[in-house]
């Protein structure tokens, strides 16, 4: 049954043509819409889920609800979308507004109450339709730079309210706010020999030369090959006003005039996001930073935007047949660029050999696998990887060497280490870390006696790390014993040199107070509220705990007057 369904999926090139409402929504900002990132853009470990809208390189711009509805969810996080508001609309869609500086009005009141109720900065709230109703054009927040944002902007999404699939916002009438007359740019085309094939006397992938034609299309240098081959491209798109390198909307390939591979960034689920690492040439990305989009599937993976033939985009080059392969790249507005690649059979002896295989082990992606040596082991459940590959594995110098990060991982694998080096009194201060040189990043670690386990999603070197050093808490301008009646905010820097910060809390006169955390600057900030701070003397305490339980406490006292 599975093979039959898979075959039907691969043979279908028909995208569901959903009719999205184009007149229901208005823009979320009151400045002209400019993109710094579009839907489907290639990002680390995920496809971009919406639009990144420019905010004139500053924070504090008004953010408006794009339609009637209600606030259905609020998430405040130190990473990801930072401060984020979700509005569910009666037409079946939900709009998302991320990296906010602050919600406003009743939304902010609700957020503040929840912070103090849960005594936490990171919160997630799910609301009912009658709790925070919203009207179209209502001011809901100020734009910001919170979470994992790399600069001030508004992250904006539209989702299907039932399935939570993200949908390209361009379909909802926002195409009228974006001017785009430029063709996508195809910067490079690669050809891949597959299954011991040869391409231009090479058994390794090759970059093809491209020649611009009079009609604006490209002609690639001839491919002389035998056996099975595939292609890949580096391509970006530009609009007329933003000048940012955006992702392409549609890619189609044709072999001798017949379409054999296609993807279009319409809609997809969050469960599919990590398939980007199978979608691109991941080893090349890790080695050079270049994202080459593969136009074939060596091993099938269930990324719904891809439609392909039964050969999954792979070309078989046979004797006495000259063939033509064409790649078309287009944007939503119909601007199109293409590359034509002539192909002919060639049985010449290869000059460039395939990369040598030095590993002792082989991974079958669809099978469980466990590797053990000395006191360490790693377990890969079936489906951990996208493709079969030759694995390097070893244990030496108290580290477990699990290949390297040039092979993408789809789901968690488990590392187990039995300790014999540390006394029992120190084992609660140990964690399994991933090493980059002499430094190690923390992995959530479970201990049972002298056995430690951790889940991981990145191949590399791992080992036990001892952390007995408490976090640090510093203040730029000391306030000990001072009157600070005119100070609106108080700020501290918190950091940890090893396992990382797990939690922090602030207390004013023995009562919990809200400190907001910015992971980019490692600063926590409290905004004074006259209903919380006492008239006259105040005692402030901050406690920070790292991931293995080391704690630091900072205490001070100050004076403040609310008298105006």
């Amino acid at each position: 049954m599975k093979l039959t369904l898979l075959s039907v999926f691969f043979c279908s090139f028909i995208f569901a043509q959903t009719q999205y409402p184009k007149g229901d929504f208005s823009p979320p900002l009151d400045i002209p819409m400019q993109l710094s990132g579009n839907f489907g853009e290639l990002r680390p470990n995920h496809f971009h889920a919406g639009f990144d809208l420019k905010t004139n390189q500053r924070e504090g711009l008004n953010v408006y609800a794009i339609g009637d509805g209600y606030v259905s969810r609020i998430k405040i996080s130190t990473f990801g979308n930072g401060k984020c508001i979700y509005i569910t609309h009666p037409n079946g869609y939900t709009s998302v507004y991320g990296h906010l500086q602050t919600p406003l009005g009743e939304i902010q009141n609700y957020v503040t109450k929840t912070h103090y109720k849960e005594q936490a900065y990171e919160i997630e709230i799910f609301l009912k339709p009658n709790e925070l109703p919203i009207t179209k054009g209502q001011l809901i927040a100020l734009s910001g730079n919170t979470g994992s944002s790399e600069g001030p902007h508004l992250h904006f999404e539209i989702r299907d309210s039932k399935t939570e699939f993200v949908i390209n916002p361009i379909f909802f009438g926002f195409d009228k706010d974006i001017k785009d007359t430029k063709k996508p740019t195809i910067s490079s085309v690669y050809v891949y020999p597959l299954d011991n094939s040869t391409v231009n006397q090479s058994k390794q992938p090759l970059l093809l030369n491209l020649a611009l034609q009079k009609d604006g299309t490209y002609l690639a240098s001839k491919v002389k090959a035998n056996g099975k081959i595939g292609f890949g491209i580096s391509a970006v798109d530009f609009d007329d006003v933003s000048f940012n390198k955006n992702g392409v909307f549609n890619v189609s390939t044709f072999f001798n005039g017949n379409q054999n591979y296609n993807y279009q960034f319409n809609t997809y689920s969050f469960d599919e996001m990590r398939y980007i690492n199978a979608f691109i040439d991941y080893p090349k990305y890790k080695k050079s930073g270049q994202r080459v989009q593969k136009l074939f599937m060596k091993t099938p993976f269930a990324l719904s935007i891809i439609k392909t033939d039964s050969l999954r985009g792979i070309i078989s080059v046979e004797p006495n047949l000259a063939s033509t392969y064409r790649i078309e790249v287009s944007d939503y507005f119909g601007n199109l660029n293409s590359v034509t690649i002539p192909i002919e059979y060639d049985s010449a002896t290869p000059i460039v050999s395939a990369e040598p295989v030095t590993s002792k082990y082989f991974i079958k992606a669809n099978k469980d696998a466990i590797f053990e040596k000395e006191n360490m082991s790693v377990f890969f459940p079936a489906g951990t990887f996208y493709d079969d590959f030759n694995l390097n594995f070893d244990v030496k110098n108290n580290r477990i060497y699990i290949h390297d990060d040039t092979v993408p991982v789809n789901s968690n694998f488990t590392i187990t280490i039995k300790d014999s080096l540390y006394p029992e009194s120190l084992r609660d201060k140990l964690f399994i870390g991933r090493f980059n040189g002499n430094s190690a990043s923390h992995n959530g670690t479970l201990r049972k006696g002298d056995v430690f386990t951790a889940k991981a999603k990145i191949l590399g070197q791992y080992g036990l790390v001892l952390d007995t050093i408490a976090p640090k808490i510093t203040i730029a301008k000391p306030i000990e014993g001072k009157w600070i009646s005119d100070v609106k905010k108080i700020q501290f820097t918190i950091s940890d040199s090893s396992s990382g910060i797990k939690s922090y809390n602030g207390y004013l006169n023995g009562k919990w107070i809200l400190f907001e955390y910015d992971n980019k600057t490692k600063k926590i900030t409290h905004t004074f509220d006259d209903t919380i701070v006492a008239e006259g003397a105040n005692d402030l305490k901050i406690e920070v705990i790292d991931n293995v339980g080391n704690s630091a406490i900072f205490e001070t006292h100050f004076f403040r007057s609310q008298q105006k």
Side-chain angles (χ1 to χ4, degrees):
M1 177 63 72
K2 286 185 179 179
L3 289 176
T4 302
L5 291 174
L6 201 58
S7 177
V8 171
F9 170 77
F10 284 150
C11 291
S12 173
F13 282 96
I14 301 173
F15 281 98
Q17 299 299 311
T18 302
Q19 296 299 312
Y20 298 104
K22 288 185 173 291
D24 290 7
F25 296 141
S26 58
L29 298 171
D30 53 14
I31 60 172
M33 184 176 286
Q34 292 189 37
L35 299 179
S36 60
N38 68 343
F39 186 84
E41 190 172 289
L42 309 181
R43 300 284 179 87
N45 295 317
H46 70 286
F47 301 98
H48 194 227
F51 284 171
D52 282 345
L53 301 177
K54 293 189 175 185
T55 57
N56 295 333
Q57 298 181 328
R58 63 187 180 93
E59 299 183 41
L61 273 64
N62 290 341
V63 178
Y64 302 93
I66 64 170
D68 293 342
Y70 69 96
V71 176
S72 54
R73 181 182 176 194
I74 304 168
K75 187 173 183 180
I76 310 295
S77 174
T78 55
F79 297 98
N81 285 332
K83 297 182 180 181
C84 190
I85 296 173
Y86 301 70
I87 297 177
T88 295
H89 306 281
N91 60 4
Y93 301 99
T94 295
S95 55
V96 182
Y97 315 77
H99 303 310
L100 301 172
Q101 182 188 80
T102 181
L104 294 176
E106 287 303 310
I107 304 175
Q108 179 57 36
N109 292 338
Y110 204 105
V111 168
T112 300
K113 290 178 182 178
T114 305
H115 281 311
Y116 279 89
K117 179 182 178 181
E118 298 186 9
Q119 295 192 357
Y121 172 60
E122 288 197 318
I123 57 174
E124 187 168 16
I125 311 166
F126 295 91
L127 300 97
K128 298 177 181 178
N130 61 345
E131 292 187 89
L132 283 177
I134 295 292
T135 58
K136 183 176 181 177
Q138 181 176 331
L139 181 61
I140 59 170
L142 298 179
S143 68
N145 186 30
T146 55
S148 299
S149 171
E150 295 181 355
H153 71 276
L154 175 68
H155 176 79
F156 171 65
E157 297 176 19
I158 296 180
R159 303 182 183 183
D160 183 292
S161 297
K162 289 184 178 179
T163 66
E164 290 201 352
F165 274 49
V166 288
I167 305 167
N168 196 333
I170 201 77
F171 294 132
F172 292 85
F174 294 112
D175 53 327
K176 69 180 185 301
D177 300 299
I178 301 171
K179 185 178 181 181
D180 183 358
T181 61
K182 297 180 179 180
K183 295 180 180 180
T185 298
I186 303 171
S187 57
S188 57
V189 177
Y190 288 85
V191 59
Y192 294 81
L194 307 173
D195 298 338
N196 203 34
S197 298
T198 301
V199 172
N200 294 353
Q201 294 185 279
S202 173
K203 288 188 173 294
Q204 296 188 27
L206 293 176
L207 175 66
L208 299 179
N209 293 322
L210 302 180
L212 182 63
Q213 305 300 292
K214 290 182 179 180
D215 62 357
T217 65
Y218 286 91
L219 178 65
S221 54
K222 182 178 289 186
V223 170
K224 297 181 178 181
N226 57 75
K228 295 180 179 181
I229 63 173
F231 291 89
I233 60 167
S234 290
V236 295
D237 192 28
F238 297 86
D239 60 38
D240 292 3
V241 295
S242 298
F243 309 110
N244 286 80
K245 293 181 180 179
N246 294 320
V248 296
F249 175 66
N250 185 290
V251 176
S252 294
T253 68
F254 303 84
F255 183 56
N256 293 332
N258 297 313
Q259 190 175 19
N260 70 333
Y261 203 85
N262 171 256
Y263 56 85
Q264 182 167 297
F265 284 98
N266 293 343
T267 178
Y268 40 79
S269 73
F270 284 95
D271 291 340
E272 300 177 72
M273 289 293 195
R274 201 169 176 87
Y275 283 128
I276 187 174
N277 294 332
F279 178 80
I280 64 173
D281 182 342
Y282 188 83
K284 179 174 286 294
Y285 166 61
K286 296 304 295 186
K287 293 174 183 177
S288 69
Q290 182 185 20
R291 291 187 176 97
V292 176
Q293 303 167 45
K294 294 189 296 185
L295 304 177
F296 63 94
M297 288 183 181
K298 189 174 180 180
T299 304
F301 56 94
L303 179 56
S304 62
I305 63 169
I306 295 177
K307 309 298 177 185
T308 182
D309 61 9
S310 60
L311 299 178
R312 306 188 300 274
I314 295 173
I315 306 301
S316 292
V317 183
E318 301 174 356
N320 304 318
L321 290 176
S323 304
T324 300
Y325 184 84
R326 189 173 79 256
I327 305 169
E328 293 184 354
V329 182
S330 58
D331 60 26
Y332 174 84
F333 300 91
N335 303 304
L336 183 145
N337 210 339
S338 68
V339 177
T340 299
I341 306 169
I343 303 173
E344 68 177 37
Y345 181 82
D346 180 33
S347 59
T349 302
I351 298 173
V352 180
S353 301
E355 290 188 6
V357 176
T358 59
S359 59
K360 301 178 182 178
Y361 308 99
F362 187 73
I363 289 285
K364 297 284 289 184
N366 63 347
K367 301 286 187 181
D368 290 352
I370 186 167
F371 298 90
E372 298 177 285
K373 185 177 179 182
E374 298 175 8
N375 63 324
M376 301 187 187
S377 67
V378 59
F379 171 65
F380 302 114
T384 300
F385 302 102
Y386 303 105
D387 293 309
D388 302 344
F389 73 100
N390 295 287
L391 172 79
N392 289 311
F393 169 80
D394 202 357
V395 171
K396 55 186 177 181
N397 301 323
N398 299 314
R399 292 187 189 179
I400 183 170
Y401 292 74
I402 313 169
H403 208 76
D404 58 58
D405 193 21
T406 59
V407 174
V409 177
N410 180 53
S411 57
N412 286 324
F413 57 91
T414 303
I415 299 166
T416 301
I417 301 176
K418 183 178 176 65
D419 171 55
S420 61
L421 297 177
Y422 296 95
E424 177 64 24
S425 59
L426 288 179
R427 283 179 176 154
D428 281 340
K429 302 300 181 184
L430 293 171
F431 66 90
I432 294 178
R434 179 176 180 270
F435 286 90
N436 182 10
N438 291 323
S439 62
S441 56
H442 177 266
N443 284 74
T445 304
L446 297 175
R447 178 172 86 94
K448 189 173 182 180
D450 59 356
V451 177
F452 296 79
T453 59
K455 303 287 187 182
K457 268 190 176 180
I458 304 175
L459 299 180
Q461 301 177 31
Y462 290 84
L464 287 177
V465 180
L466 178 66
D467 179 8
T468 58
I469 301 173
K472 291 183 178 180
I473 308 169
T474 58
I475 184 170
K477 295 181 180 180
I479 59 172
E480 180 76 21
K482 295 181 179 180
W483 283 88
I484 57 170
S485 303
D486 296 330
V487 175
K488 295 181 179 179
K489 297 181 179 181
I490 187 170
Q491 193 172 76
F492 295 83
T493 300
I494 60 175
S495 61
D496 187 77
S497 61
S498 185
S499 62
I501 293 170
K502 180 180 181 180
S503 65
Y504 70 91
N505 286 286
Y507 302 91
L508 187 62
N509 302 320
K511 294 182 178 180
W512 187 90
I513 57 171
L514 174 65
F515 274 91
E516 298 194 359
Y517 180 62
D518 182 352
N519 75 81
K520 293 183 280 289
T521 63
K522 309 302 180 187
K523 296 185 184 299
I524 57 172
T525 304
H526 173 70
T527 301
F528 281 115
D529 184 336
D530 288 348
T531 64
I532 297 176
V533 69
E535 179 74 23
N538 286 266
D539 294 317
L540 177 66
K541 176 183 176 181
I542 298 171
E543 182 178 23
V544 180
I545 302 173
D546 68 18
N547 279 296
V548 295
N550 300 308
S551 64
I553 294 176
F554 182 101
E555 293 182 289
T556 188
H557 73 277
F558 60 87
F559 298 91
R560 187 174 176 89
S561 175
Q562 277 74 257
Q563 303 299 320
K564 305 300 183 184

